[in-house]
Amino acid sequence: QRLKAAVHYTVGCLCQDVAGDKELQFSKQTIAAISEITFRQCGTEIRVCLFKNKHAKRSTITVEDVKLLARRSSSLVRLI
């Protein structure tokens, strides 16, 4: 629950930043929906990392594993 609350808080902060830059507002329901989607997607990506690490007989998720996952997302590829 603490992790979910941290994701919700971070999403809220990011939405505030975007809202200030773009002169718009996010409803509480919208922030909650974005938070839930983000939390679920992160859970899916972590399971993919764990599966790949188990297959490779490794027990640590590395920066390279995270970069590989980010490459699957066209919006994140630009940040790598």
Side-chain angles (χ1 to χ4, degrees):
Q1 287 294 44
R2 290 177 60 194
L3 181 58
K4 201 170 197 176
V7 170
H8 183 78
Y9 174 78
T10 303
V11 168
C13 291
L14 291 170
C15 287
Q16 273 186 324
D17 290 347
V18 170
D21 292 345
K22 304 293 183 187
E23 296 182 15
L24 49 92
Q25 294 179 356
F26 290 88
S27 70
K28 289 181 182 182
Q29 293 86 359
T30 301
I31 293 171
I34 294 169
S35 298
E36 184 64 28
I37 291 167
T38 302
F39 189 79
R40 287 183 186 186
Q41 187 63 35
C42 286
T44 300
E45 300 301 345
I46 288 170
R47 284 190 289 280
V48 169
C49 273
L50 291 173
F51 177 77
K52 288 181 179 183
N53 277 1
K54 184 177 179 181
H55 179 73
K57 295 181 174 57
R58 293 186 291 132
S59 60
T60 304
I61 295 174
T62 65
V63 172
E64 294 304 316
D65 295 326
V66 175
K67 285 181 179 179
L68 182 62
L69 282 174
R71 286 188 199 109
R72 291 179 29 194
S73 169
S74 58
S75 60
L76 293 176
V77 168
R78 293 175 278 163
L79 301 175
I80 301 175

